[in-house]
Amino acid sequence: MKNLREMDGVSLPVHRVSTGLGEGEEEIRWTVKCPNSHHVVDLETCEGCPHLEHIQQEAAGPQRLLCHAEAFSPAPLPGEGNELLLPPQLEHTRVDELMTQDVYCVGEEMLAEELAELFATRKVSGVPVLDEDERLVGVVSRADLLRASTEEKDTPRLHPERAGATACELMNAAPVVVREGTTVPQAAAVMADANVHRVLVVSSEDRVVGVLSAMDVVRWLAALSLGDKASHTS
Ligand code: SF4
């Protein structure tokens, strides 16, 4: 029996990278993990690709992409053709296989008041900040702009001194990142060194392509461990 690749091509989920620009405006990038280049690519790249078969559109935007190539290239070993932040070690799972690809970002000019609302409504602790070319320039977190309150944990208020400031003025301009193609053990080492629970995954052009959390790594380790146990008992 033919498998899906041979018969119909490969059906890939389309991910949404949203950037809040302030005053309710939002820019959206749609991305796909390309089985040919093994990079996360914008949908416009696919639209010019001879392997594209079909993009499934729904009211909420593109959902899946069907692409067809005679043979997809195997994933390169870590370090081959990738600029890594750490020296390549052994062949391991890459961060882009585990990371979350739907990411919400903000523009540099988003005001503190809007960021505070964003943190309260989306229940996130930080967001990447992008410049006008959609390149990562920093990360702004709840702690950067909210006043700590022990009584009102769920409704933290904007720190009065931060009112009127922009994301660019409030952000940490040296966020913890790893490159696409970094292995999961390398990314885990980066998180442990920096004492953070998540890292942004960026392309070689400094575009945000995903987020990897410590929980993603824990799930991956649990799956490996279960797989190991199954192979020893079979
Ligand atoms: S259409 Fe082309 S660029 Fe897009 S995912 Fe398929 S092979 Fe990659």
Side-chain angles (χ1 to χ4, degrees):
M1 193 175 114
K2 284 187 168 185
N3 65 30
L4 183 67
R5 286 189 173 210
E6 291 165 331
M7 195 166 61
D8 294 315
V10 178
S11 172
L12 305 165
V14 177
H15 297 278
R16 174 189 169 113
V17 179
S18 323
T19 306
L21 302 174
E23 299 180 350
E25 276 189 55
E26 197 173 81
E27 236 171 51
I28 297 168
R29 255 174 71 215
W30 301 99
T31 63
V32 169
K33 171 85 189 298
C34 173
N36 227 6
S37 67
H38 301 283
H39 289 288
V40 175
V41 298
D42 286 357
L43 218 52
E44 288 93 62
T45 304
C46 300
E47 282 163 357
C49 174
H51 301 313
L52 175 67
E53 288 285 326
H54 177 65
I55 296 174
Q56 180 193 335
Q57 295 279 355
E58 290 186 7
Q63 299 297 302
R64 295 195 77 82
L65 173 148
L66 186 67
C67 76
H68 202 194
E70 300 222 332
F72 289 107
S73 57
L77 293 177
E80 282 181 15
N82 293 301
E83 184 198 340
L84 299 182
L85 297 185
L86 289 169
Q89 298 172 337
L90 303 171
E91 185 179 5
H92 284 304
T93 306
R94 296 157 37 121
V95 288
D96 31 284
E97 292 174 50
L98 305 189
M99 69 189 184
T100 300
Q101 277 182 248
D102 296 288
V103 190
Y104 193 83
C105 310
V106 299
E108 291 175 289
E109 299 306 318
M110 183 173 272
L111 292 171
E113 290 81 351
E114 292 175 90
L115 286 167
E117 198 179 324
L118 181 81
F119 290 138
T121 54
R122 289 190 173 248
K123 305 238 182 283
V124 290
S125 56
V127 281
V129 182
L130 308 186
D131 68 12
E132 57 187 20
D133 294 323
E134 298 190 342
R135 293 180 206 292
L136 178 71
V137 289
V139 168
V140 63
S141 71
R142 286 167 71 98
D144 291 329
L145 73 159
L146 299 180
R147 182 171 58 187
S149 164
T150 48
E151 291 167 11
E152 297 176 273
K153 275 186 186 149
D154 291 331
T155 54
R157 292 185 183 166
L158 178 64
H159 195 294
E161 287 173 18
R162 313 283 198 275
T166 62
C168 185
E169 291 163 339
L170 294 164
M171 70 187 186
N172 167 10
V176 181
V177 300
V178 295
R179 298 271 183 224
E180 249 188 307
T182 302
T183 65
V184 175
Q186 288 172 330
V190 169
M191 282 194 263
D193 271 1
N195 201 18
V196 294
H197 296 112
R198 61 181 61 81
V199 281
L200 292 170
V201 183
V202 295
S203 69
S204 54
E205 297 92 30
D206 286 335
R207 289 191 152 200
V208 176
V209 296
V211 181
L212 182 79
S213 72
M215 195 45 73
D216 295 327
V217 178
V218 169
R219 286 198 198 98
W220 173 69
L221 288 171
L224 282 184
S225 154
L226 286 175
D228 255 14
K229 278 188 191 152
S231 67
H232 281 101
T233 52
S234 59

